C-alpha cells in the first residue's frame, strides 16, 4: 500500500468518500503538517515543562497509586495549548466524519521521547474490558510536533488489523519486528498527525544506532457515543470536569466531555 495515498493535504478537514473508505479499510490516516505552526510552537515548551518539572511523573504516579497521590494538580489538558489541541476544531471535524458527531474525549498523554528510548512492541489501544467486538469506534490522534525524520524512532502500522478482535498485546511476542504488509512512517514534517483506529496494531520502532533528536509526542483519544467506555485514569471525572470548566471545544460538542459515556474506573490487575 502506498502511504502517499493515505495522506490528507495540509489543513484540509473535509474527507471525501475515498478517504473515509481508506480509513475503514486500513484503519489510519496520515495528516502531514496538519497542525498550525503557532499551535505547535506553543505546545513544545509545554511538553518540556510537563516532562522537565515532574508533572508527567506525578500524573503517572496518580494513575499507579491514586490512594497516595490523589488527583494531579496539573493535568495535560490544563496546559493551555494542550487543551486547545485536544479540541482543535479541524481535528474534531475529521473525527466527526469518521464516527459521527457524537463522541467523547477519552484521554491524553504528552511526552518527549529521548533518542535512546526503547521501542514499544506491537500492540493496540482499544479500550474494552473484554475484547469482544468492534461495534463502536475509538480513535487515537498521534501528534508529532517536530514531525519525524529517519534519525528518530518510527511508527509501524498494520493496515486492516483494527478489524480483528484481539487482546492489546496479542502480537507483543513479535517485539517491534517488521511484519508483512506493514506501513512504516519515519519521515513527516513538523505538526503532523497520524489518526489511527485505536484497535489498529502499531509499534514504535527505535533506532538505537542513531543519536537523533528527541521526539515530541502528544496523543489524544476519542470514543464514539453509544456504549460505556472504560476510563484509563482514576481521576477521569475531574479531568472531564476541568475540560468543561475551561469550555474546551465550545458549545458545539456537548458529548465531548460528558461523563455519561464512561463506566466506572477499574484498576488494571
Ligand atoms: Fe499505542
Amino acid at each position: 500500500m502506498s502511504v502517499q495515498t493515505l495522506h490528507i493535504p495540509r489543513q484540509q478537514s473535509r474527507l471525501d468518500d475515498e478517504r473515509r473508505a481508506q480509513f475503514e479499510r486500513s484503519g489510519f490516516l496520515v495528516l502531514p503538517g496538519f497542525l498550525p505552526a503557532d499551535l505547535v510552537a506553543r505546545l513544545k515548551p509545554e511538553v518540556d515543562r510537563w516532562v522537565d518539572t515532574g508533572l508527567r511523573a506525578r500524573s503517572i504516579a496518580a494513575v499507579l497509586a491514586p490512594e497516595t497521590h490523589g488527583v494531579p494538580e496539573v493535568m495535560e489538558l490544563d496546559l493551555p495549548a494542550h487543551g486547545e489541541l485536544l479540541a482543535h476544531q479541524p481535528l474534531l471535524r475529521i473525527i466527526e466524519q469518521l464516527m459521527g458527531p457524537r463522541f467523547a474525549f477519552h484521554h491524553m498523554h504528552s511526552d518527549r521521547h529521548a533518542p535512546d528510548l526503547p521501542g514499544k512492541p506491537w500492540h493496540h489501544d482499544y479500550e474494552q474490558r473484554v475484547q469482544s467486538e468492534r461495534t463502536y469506534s475509538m480513535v487515537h490522534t498521534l501528534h508529532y510536533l517536530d514531525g519525524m525524520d529517519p534519525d528518530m524512532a518510527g511508527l509501524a502500522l498494520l493496515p486492516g488489523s483494527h478489524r480483528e478482535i484481539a487482546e492489546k498485546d496479542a502480537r507483543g511476542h513479535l517485539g517491534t519486528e517488521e511484519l508483512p504488509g506493514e506501513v512504516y512512517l519515519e519521515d513527516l514534517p513538523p505538526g503532523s498527525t497520524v489518526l489511527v483506529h485505536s484497535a489498529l496494531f502499531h509499534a514504535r520502532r527505535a533506532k538505537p544506532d542513531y543519536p537523533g533528536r528527541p521526539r515530541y509526542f502528544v496523543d489524544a483519544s476519542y470514543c464514539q457515543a453509544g456504549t460505556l467506555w472504560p476510563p484509563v485514569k482514576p481521576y477521569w471525572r475531574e479531568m472531564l470536569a476541568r475540560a468543561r470548566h475551561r469550555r474546551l471545544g465550545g458549545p458545539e460538542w456537548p458529548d465531548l466531555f460528558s461523563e455519561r459515556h464512561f463506566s466506572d474506573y477499574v484498576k488494571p490487575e
Side-chain angles (χ1 to χ4, degrees):
M1 178 185 312
S2 157
V3 174
Q4 204 55 46
T5 61
L6 295 160
H7 283 195
I8 307 275
R10 184 181 295 262
Q11 294 299 314
Q12 183 179 315
S13 54
R14 182 90 217 127
L15 300 179
D16 57 24
D17 290 347
E18 194 190 330
R19 301 288 187 199
R20 280 203 297 276
Q22 278 175 358
F23 180 80
E24 291 284 315
R25 219 172 25 244
S26 57
F28 68 98
L29 292 172
V30 182
L31 288 68
F34 178 73
L35 301 175
D38 74 293
L39 177 58
V40 172
R42 285 180 285 122
L43 280 162
K44 280 184 58 183
E46 287 186 359
V47 176
D48 288 332
R49 180 184 162 215
W50 181 251
V51 173
D52 295 333
T53 66
L55 290 172
R56 178 172 181 272
R58 251 173 276 168
S59 108
I60 292 171
V63 171
L64 297 178
E67 53 293 329
T68 312
H69 295 277
V71 178
E73 257 171 62
V74 183
M75 301 177 194
E76 292 91 336
L77 57 72
D78 292 317
L79 307 172
H82 279 66
E84 196 176 320
L85 173 66
L86 81 82
H88 183 51
Q89 294 294 318
L91 186 65
L92 298 183
R93 293 264 167 260
I94 287 187
I95 295 170
E96 178 182 35
Q97 292 165 77
L98 298 175
M99 56 187 189
R102 297 195 54 215
F103 56 88
F105 165 67
H106 195 282
H107 69 280
M108 184 178 218
H109 292 129
S110 179
D111 201 2
R112 189 186 60 211
H113 294 156
D116 59 354
L117 185 73
K120 187 165 181 180
W122 287 101
H123 69 283
H124 75 73
D125 297 301
Y126 188 83
E127 295 298 337
Q128 197 168 50
R129 210 145 276 152
V130 179
Q131 298 286 341
S132 50
E133 36 89 5
R134 295 288 181 262
T135 309
Y136 296 94
S137 295
M138 178 177 189
V139 297
H140 272 63
T141 55
L142 314 178
H143 304 291
Y144 297 92
L145 304 183
D146 260 352
M148 253 193 234
D149 65 47
D151 277 358
M152 293 176 180
L155 174 68
L157 305 159
L158 195 58
S161 58
H162 60 302
R163 290 192 297 257
E164 297 173 15
I165 312 294
E167 293 302 319
K168 288 178 171 181
D169 61 355
R171 285 184 171 85
H173 61 287
L174 300 170
T176 63
E177 75 184 45
E178 190 174 337
L179 299 185
E182 74 165 36
V183 166
Y184 188 49
L185 303 173
E186 57 173 350
D187 202 355
L188 291 172
S192 289
T193 299
V194 181
L195 197 156
V196 300
H197 189 294
S198 304
L200 186 79
F201 278 89
H202 58 284
R204 180 178 69 234
R205 189 171 294 146
K207 295 180 186 149
D209 296 337
Y210 292 86
R213 293 178 289 139
R215 197 171 78 149
Y216 284 82
F217 178 67
V218 180
D219 72 275
S221 56
Y222 306 82
C223 45
Q224 190 176 25
T227 188
L228 294 181
W229 295 90
V232 291
K233 304 208 182 192
Y235 49 86
W236 64 279
R237 289 181 195 277
E238 291 86 351
M239 180 186 77
L240 296 174
R242 285 195 201 177
R244 290 195 301 270
H245 180 72
R246 290 187 52 202
R247 303 188 193 288
L248 297 179
E252 204 186 329
W253 310 92
D255 290 288
L256 195 55
F257 304 111
S258 167
E259 287 185 11
R260 65 199 177 107
H261 304 295
F262 296 91
S263 50
D264 286 335
Y265 176 76
V266 177
K267 194 172 181 182
E269 313 216 330

